[in-house]
Amino acid sequence: MEYVQERITTLHGFADEPPAAPTERTAVVVPMTGREHRTDAAEHVFSSLATLDVATVIVALRAPRERVESIAEWLSGFAIDIELFWCGGPRLAALLDEHGLDGESGKGRDVWLALGPASDHEFVVVHDADALSYSPADVRRLCAPLADGFSFVKGYYARIERNQLFGRLFRLFYEPLVATLCERHDAAVLGYFGAFRYALAGEIGLTGSLARELRLGRGWGLEIDGLATAFDEAGFADTAQVDLGIDVHDHRSVSGADGLAAMSREVGRALLRAVEGHGVRPAYDTLPARYERTAARFVRQYAADATHNGLEYDADDERAQVGDYAAAIEPPEIDDRLPAWTDAPLDPNEVRAAVRADLAAAKD
């Protein structure tokens, strides 16, 4: 048992029962793609949510039109009020284009769209739909600190499955890259980014007012973009992280369009953009090589941890992944984040109306 506190408040899972939480004042946002339709994980997530007294569940769906009706019918079978937010309809695209906000789709865009109406509620919890280990206690653990005065809560957990360590993008890319930057830069934002036990976790809780301030990129960098806003708006004092136990969910290959190497490029871009925005000027000509040296230390440490716990560990494969991730380290491109809802040129109710019209047309 450990009681270690970080620079942000760390809330451990000592008790079997989760704390009391104001779930009835909380909107739960669940980003989901068509591939998660009817999976065991998604069935488990929505069945578990049905046991909670939450204000609303908003499913931010990215799926082709021909699948929307069957997904809507499936979601209607759960004993909970779910608002389906289809993020791919033509009326929604036209509305966003009218206001200069249309562009590439992605998880960040989906979550941003759903946060508009969700932020009308006092508290918001966001989590994925692909966790086989999901528990309704997760919502209570993410929400309870908000009622105690925190503004931003990030979940953390162990990624252990099939007798192996997972969480590779965090372990092998994010964590060593932040450590490498800290070697030469003494910036508060780096201390904040390095304080989280699982900075890339998609499970967060935040106040509705903070949700309206989030500026998110369109793709896989959304967790970093969320941390950047939380640093500015909540800071160390009003941020907490909470133990969610052991997480088991879908895994990705390293290669491919949706693989970890492609994700690392977006995560790296978001991270470097965020630190540059707070005065850090990385030496990009040497940063990839320095990152690889730091990551080699992490591989050795993780190998020792795996051996100590009787886990399988392929150090050569992990070092090969580090090489793939190093290629993703480059100066960030132009800032293409979506605006905070407090600054957006349209109202969330306009978005909701367009989404509802698209859903009605998709069912015809």
Side-chain angles (χ1 to χ4, degrees), residues 105-190:
S105 61
K107 184 178 180 182
R109 176 182 178 272
D110 300 344
V111 171
W112 177 80
L113 286 167
L115 283 178
S119 64
D120 285 342
H121 297 271
E122 188 174 0
F123 306 119
V124 179
V125 165
V126 182
H127 64 66
D128 294 333
D130 64 349
L132 285 165
S133 56
Y134 179 78
S135 166
D138 294 351
V139 174
R140 291 168 62 183
R141 293 188 188 281
L142 289 164
C143 184
L146 301 174
D148 290 337
F150 293 96
S151 300
F152 182 75
V153 182
K154 169 78 79 169
Y156 72 88
Y157 33 71
R159 293 290 311 280
I160 300 172
E161 187 179 351
R162 303 201 296 266
N163 204 41
Q164 300 175 57
L165 294 174
F166 283 93
R168 294 161 292 172
L169 194 62
F170 172 72
R171 290 190 299 104
L172 300 176
F173 179 63
Y174 177 92
E175 196 176 18
L177 181 55
V178 171
T180 302
L181 291 168
C182 286
E183 290 173 357
R184 293 193 179 182
H185 305 280
D186 182 18
V189 68
L190 288 171

Side-chain angles (χ1 to χ4, degrees), residues 18 35 52-53 96 119 127 139 146 151 186 207 211 228 241 246 258 277 293 354 364:
R35 72 174 188 167
L52 289 172
D53 177 24
L96 295 175
S119 64
H127 64 66
V139 174
L146 301 174
S151 300
D186 182 18
T207 61
Q241 59 183 345
I246 293 179
D258 293 326
R293 288 195 294 271
D364 288 343

Side-chain angles (χ1 to χ4, degrees), residues 6-355:
E6 317 288 352
R7 289 191 66 184
I8 57 174
T9 300
T10 301
L11 307 175
H12 301 85
F14 302 143
D16 292 333
E17 279 295 310
T23 54
E24 74 282 356
R25 288 138 56 195
T26 301
V28 179
V29 172
V30 184
M32 191 180 90
T33 63
R35 72 174 188 167
E36 287 152 348
H37 176 214
R38 294 189 181 279
T39 61
D40 290 343
E43 292 269 2
H44 173 61
V45 166
F46 291 113
S47 295
S48 298
L49 277 173
T51 68
L52 289 172
D53 177 24
V54 297
T56 187
V57 175
I58 302 176
V59 175
L61 175 66
R62 183 157 27 100
R65 174 179 176 141
E66 61 270 18
R67 300 196 61 187
V68 170
E69 184 175 7
S70 61
I71 292 172
E73 182 179 354
W74 169 67
L75 288 172
S76 69
F78 295 97
I80 189 171
D81 180 24
I82 294 177
E83 179 177 3
L84 180 58
F85 229 71
W86 180 34
C87 301
R91 292 164 184 80
L92 175 61
L95 176 66
L96 295 175
D97 184 56
E98 177 185 344
H99 293 282
L101 296 174
D102 197 27
E104 292 185 15
S105 61
K107 184 178 180 182
R109 176 182 178 272
D110 300 344
V111 171
W112 177 80
L113 286 167
L115 283 178
S119 64
D120 285 342
H121 297 271
E122 188 174 0
F123 306 119
V124 179
V125 165
V126 182
H127 64 66
D128 294 333
D130 64 349
L132 285 165
S133 56
Y134 179 78
S135 166
D138 294 351
V139 174
R140 291 168 62 183
R141 293 188 188 281
L142 289 164
C143 184
L146 301 174
D148 290 337
F150 293 96
S151 300
F152 182 75
V153 182
K154 169 78 79 169
Y156 72 88
Y157 33 71
R159 293 290 311 280
I160 300 172
E161 187 179 351
R162 303 201 296 266
N163 204 41
Q164 300 175 57
L165 294 174
F166 283 93
R168 294 161 292 172
L169 194 62
F170 172 72
R171 290 190 299 104
L172 300 176
F173 179 63
Y174 177 92
E175 196 176 18
L177 181 55
V178 171
T180 302
L181 291 168
C182 286
E183 290 173 357
R184 293 193 179 182
H185 305 280
D186 182 18
V189 68
L190 288 171
Y192 187 80
F193 282 177
F196 292 90
R197 296 188 172 189
Y198 207 119
L200 299 186
E203 293 77 11
I204 62 171
L206 63 167
T207 61
S209 59
L210 180 56
R212 289 189 288 274
E213 298 293 340
L214 290 188
R215 291 200 62 198
L216 301 181
R218 296 173 178 277
W220 297 112
L222 80 159
E223 279 86 13
I224 308 302
D225 294 329
L227 290 181
T229 303
F231 173 71
D232 291 333
E233 302 293 333
F236 289 95
D238 291 334
T239 297
Q241 59 183 345
V242 61
D243 185 359
L244 299 181
I246 293 179
D247 181 73
V248 178
H249 70 221
D250 288 345
H251 304 292
R252 296 177 182 271
S253 63
V254 177
S255 60
D258 293 326
L260 296 179
M263 291 175 66
S264 71
R265 193 168 300 278
E266 294 192 34
V267 170
R269 183 181 303 130
L271 172 62
L272 294 167
R273 180 180 59 222
V275 301
E276 281 190 2
H278 290 84
V280 175
R281 298 291 178 261
Y284 287 106
D285 56 336
T286 62
L287 184 57
R290 290 187 289 115
Y291 151 78
E292 288 197 80
R293 288 195 294 271
T294 305
R297 169 171 62 84
F298 277 83
V299 169
R300 182 173 181 272
Q301 291 172 321
Y302 283 120
D305 201 3
T307 298
H308 188 75
N309 287 281
L311 302 175
E312 299 173 10
Y313 190 82
D314 188 337
D316 290 336
D317 180 69
E318 299 249 306
R319 282 188 285 267
Q321 288 185 54
V322 166
D324 290 330
Y325 300 148
I329 300 174
E330 57 190 11
E333 298 173 351
I334 189 170
D335 187 352
D336 62 350
R337 287 176 297 168
L338 292 155
W341 277 105
T342 52
D343 299 322
L346 74 171
D347 185 271
N349 288 326
E350 296 178 77
V351 174
R352 175 179 267 143
V355 168

